[in-house]
Amino acid sequence: MRAIKKSVLALSVLTSLVVATSSVAQPANSQKQAESATELRQSIFKLLGSNMGALGAMAKGKIPLDAAVVETNSTRINQLSLMIADYTRVDTSKFDVKTEALAKIWQEPEHFSKDINNLTVASSALMVAAKSGDEGAIKKAIGGVGKTCGGCHDDFKKD
């Protein structure tokens, strides 16, 4: 168990450095740029959702737990979490784009960065738990990822 905690700690420190170095958002220059940025941003979140779906179903016992799928999906979620800052770098809040993203993303960048980091850390912990094969640890770590997703939705996504 100590090895798992050390692995999670090392991944957490590394990912914190990555998120901390993300650049500040710039306002979109045109409707076309805002629409393109929105489409790309939404692509990242759709991929996150597609990978979370099976994990949530496993955690709730709706489908059998498969550690290999958990490992694959948690790795994808982790990689996608590292892209969120890049794909939210263009502030689209001043344009009429079809989105559920709140302007708060760009108004509270430190809070948003913290939430991104929380997802990166939680998905790192899930990657480690998946490798352990411990069903209880895996389900707990899935819950941790789900909690970070829900927290960000509560703060930065329209109902």
Side-chain angles (χ1 to χ4, degrees), residues 20-40:
T21 60
S22 64
S23 62
V24 176
Q26 298 296 317
N29 294 319
S30 67
Q31 181 70 28
K32 184 176 179 179
Q33 183 190 21
E35 289 170 358
S36 176
T38 300
E39 182 179 324
L40 292 170

Side-chain angles (χ1 to χ4, degrees), residues 4 10 32 52-53 82 85 106 113 115 130 135:
I4 290 174
K32 184 176 179 179
M52 265 313 288
L82 298 173
W106 302 284
S113 290
D115 282 1
E135 186 171 332

Side-chain angles (χ1 to χ4, degrees), residues 137-155:
I138 291 170
K139 286 184 176 183
K140 183 178 179 181
I142 290 171
V145 173
K147 184 178 177 183
T148 65
C149 291
C152 196
H153 286 201
D154 290 346
D155 293 335

Side-chain angles (χ1 to χ4, degrees), residues 51 67-77 79 130:
N51 283 280
V69 171
V70 174
E71 187 174 352
T72 297
N73 288 20
S74 62
T75 300
R76 289 175 181 162
I77 291 168
Q79 292 168 342

Side-chain angles (χ1 to χ4, degrees), residues 98-111:
K98 186 176 179 181
T99 183
E100 295 178 359
L102 297 174
K104 192 174 176 183
I105 289 172
W106 302 284
Q107 296 165 352
E108 298 181 15
E110 295 85 14
H111 181 182

Side-chain angles (χ1 to χ4, degrees), residues 72-130:
T72 297
N73 288 20
S74 62
T75 300
R76 289 175 181 162
I77 291 168
N78 185 264
Q79 292 168 342
L80 290 163
S81 74
L82 298 173
M83 296 179 203
I84 295 170
D86 289 337
Y87 287 96
T88 56
R89 201 169 279 150
V90 177
D91 179 348
T92 60
S93 62
K94 302 283 189 239
F95 290 88
D96 184 23
V97 292
K98 186 176 179 181
T99 183
E100 295 178 359
L102 297 174
K104 192 174 176 183
I105 289 172
W106 302 284
Q107 296 165 352
E108 298 181 15
E110 295 85 14
H111 181 182
F112 189 62
S113 290
K114 182 181 174 193
D115 282 1
I116 294 169
N117 187 57
N118 289 342
L119 176 59
T120 304
V121 170
S123 59
S124 295
L126 181 54
M127 291 165 56
V128 172

